[in-house]
Amino acid sequence: MCGIMRESLRRLASDEGIRERRAGGDTRRVRVELMDGDHITVEVHRKARGADLLDKVCDSLDIVEKDYFGLLYLLRGDPRVWVDLGRRLSKTFRNEPWDVRFAVKFYPPEPSELQDDMTRNQLVLAVRRDLVEGRLNCSSITYALLASYRLQAELGDYEPGRVSPALLAESGPIPLRVFTPDMEERVEELYKKHRGQTPAEAESNYLESVKRLPLYGAELHCARDSSEVDIVLAVSAPGVAVHRDGQIMNRFPWTKITKISYNKRTYTLRLRAGEFDDYETHLIFRLTSTTAAKKLWRCSVEHHMFFRREAPVVVERVAGFPRLGSRRVSCRRTLRQLRASAPAHAPPLVA
């Protein structure tokens, strides 16, 4: 009898262990780095897609306008690869915890149209990170203005003696390396002028200043032109711009681009004929690898779709590449759909 009882207990313990393993096997842990540098851990179902994870992160931050955001991860040394929202996460990641970085993917061309204070705050953090990491540059005057708005948003009205290198390092409105005694004095003078602005108004004015910068919201891709000169292609809301040695050499708005394609390491823009041209223009750029060319193509298609289309569309297959991989882009709603769904009674913030 005792032997039978022991055998029954072993089976019961074994069955409970199996159930526990199965229950634990249905979830995966994802470590998410937020834009202020903090980390959170999110649990998702093992069959969850990228969109499910993005929704969970946005819900945890109380973000309503989710379509501006995305998730970055590290792939073969490249830290700025976007998680495919339509793909199962288990096909992208292997060992737990899965690591991603929450980021703004589509920067609104008119930040004043944002309806959610949390979205606006996250956009400010994203711009600050772009400044710190060198993807966005501006003059020292603009640096000082941005710093003064950040101080107003974080600390409220000016008080004598508040502006100091230690405070600027703590609040981190812009890279500390640009601060000199003259810069501190300039920031302090500008900070005084913002008295009475609420945090939301200060952040709104911050973004109104940032949106005029040439590289605001741009995804940067290193390439070479037809003369084998090193350039940077910047993809953003207005279109594709060519930068060389920090200067804008040319701009190609989406309205002028009729086709975007890639083949192996080449990326091609087909431009519609101008008023005095007989033929369309084909601009060919060379990337370092097929992966880099595909990444640039996908970035361009997604930005064109988000900022120019009425609604997401199926992307035509690129010759020579697998059908599913070439057609998959991450864009759930376009900017026009977001604007159409925004409350009509909510006016933009203006200081």
Side-chain angles (χ1 to χ4, degrees):
M1 179 65 71
C2 292
I4 295 175
M5 288 294 294
R6 284 195 295 270
E7 180 65 23
S8 298
L9 289 172
R10 279 197 298 269
R11 289 181 179 178
L12 179 61
S14 177
D15 291 343
E16 288 179 350
I18 291 173
R19 283 195 295 271
E20 288 178 1
R21 285 195 297 273
R22 285 177 178 173
D26 286 339
T27 61
R28 295 291 184 269
R29 289 180 299 118
V30 186
R31 187 168 53 195
V32 184
E33 181 183 351
L34 304 179
M35 279 183 276
D36 59 2
D38 291 339
H39 289 78
I40 61 173
T41 300
V42 178
E43 288 193 352
V44 296
H45 192 273
R46 63 185 178 84
K47 294 184 179 180
R49 298 181 182 274
D52 301 322
L53 175 58
L54 178 61
D55 287 341
K56 281 205 167 190
V57 175
C58 289
D59 290 342
S60 69
L61 297 173
D62 294 326
I63 293 174
V64 178
E65 298 166 291
K66 304 175 183 179
D67 298 272
Y68 292 110
F69 299 92
L71 300 166
L72 293 166
Y73 71 103
L74 176 68
L75 179 64
R76 301 188 187 96
D78 185 352
R80 293 191 63 81
V81 179
W82 293 100
V83 171
D84 187 337
L85 298 184
R87 190 184 190 193
R88 280 176 54 172
L89 293 167
S90 58
K91 294 185 178 180
T92 301
F93 301 99
R94 291 293 179 264
N95 299 327
E96 290 186 67
W98 299 340
D99 285 298
V100 298
R101 195 168 109 182
F102 184 62
V104 176
K105 185 172 186 178
F106 303 115
Y107 288 66
E110 293 297 334
S112 61
E113 294 181 354
L114 294 175
Q115 303 298 317
D116 181 25
D117 287 344
M118 185 56 70
T119 304
R120 186 179 299 106
N121 177 259
Q122 292 296 316
L123 181 58
V124 170
L125 292 175
V127 169
R128 177 195 172 275
R129 191 153 196 167
D130 291 340
L131 286 164
V132 171
E133 295 180 356
R135 287 187 300 276
L136 187 61
N137 296 304
C138 61
S139 66
S140 59
I141 296 175
T142 303
Y143 269 125
L145 181 62
L146 297 180
S148 66
Y149 281 133
R150 286 294 289 147
L151 291 172
Q152 180 68 27
E154 293 182 358
L155 305 176
D157 291 341
Y158 169 82
E159 292 181 7
R162 261 191 169 179
V163 179
S164 66
L167 177 62
L168 292 170
E170 181 181 351
S171 60
I174 59 175
L176 186 62
R177 65 178 180 274
V178 305
F179 282 97
T180 61
D182 290 341
M183 174 70 78
E184 293 172 29
E185 184 178 349
R186 185 177 300 168
V187 171
E188 191 168 11
E189 290 301 315
L190 291 169
Y191 184 15
K192 293 177 183 178
K193 297 179 181 180
H194 305 328
R195 179 173 296 276
Q197 291 185 17
T198 66
E201 289 171 339
E203 288 183 345
S204 181
N205 289 325
Y206 178 99
L207 294 174
E208 286 298 307
S209 301
V210 166
K211 76 176 187 181
R212 302 183 181 92
L213 299 178
L215 290 178
Y216 164 72
E219 279 286 319
L220 307 180
H221 301 260
C222 295
R224 287 188 172 184
D225 61 15
S226 57
S227 302
E228 293 298 315
V229 176
D230 290 332
I231 60 169
V232 173
L233 294 174
V235 182
S236 60
V240 181
V242 179
H243 292 250
R244 187 173 69 191
D245 298 328
Q247 302 294 322
I248 299 178
M249 305 304 297
N250 218 330
R251 289 188 177 94
F252 306 108
W254 296 124
T255 53
K256 193 174 181 180
I257 299 173
T258 61
K259 186 175 181 180
I260 308 167
S261 60
Y262 78 102
N263 185 15
K264 295 183 180 178
R265 294 196 302 163
T266 61
Y267 167 84
T268 304
L269 294 177
R270 188 169 72 186
L271 310 179
R272 67 176 75 256
E275 183 179 355
F276 303 104
D277 299 327
D278 296 327
Y279 305 100
E280 292 181 326
T281 302
H282 290 73
L283 299 176
I284 300 176
F285 304 93
R286 184 173 295 278
L287 281 296
T288 56
S289 65
T290 300
T291 300
K294 183 176 180 179
K295 179 184 176 183
L296 174 55
W297 170 83
R298 179 173 173 173
C299 174
S300 304
V301 171
E302 289 177 341
H303 275 71
H304 178 269
M305 188 179 298
F306 182 82
F307 291 108
R308 296 294 302 174
R309 291 282 188 173
E310 292 282 352
V313 297
V314 176
V315 180
E316 294 182 0
R317 185 174 69 90
V318 177
F321 288 88
R323 179 177 179 179
L324 294 178
S326 298
R327 293 165 70 94
R328 185 186 294 123
V329 293
S330 293
C331 179
R332 295 187 290 181
R333 289 197 299 172
T334 66
L335 182 60
R336 295 188 187 186
Q337 290 175 318
L338 283 173
R339 287 171 172 170
S341 64
H345 63 274
L349 285 170
V350 178

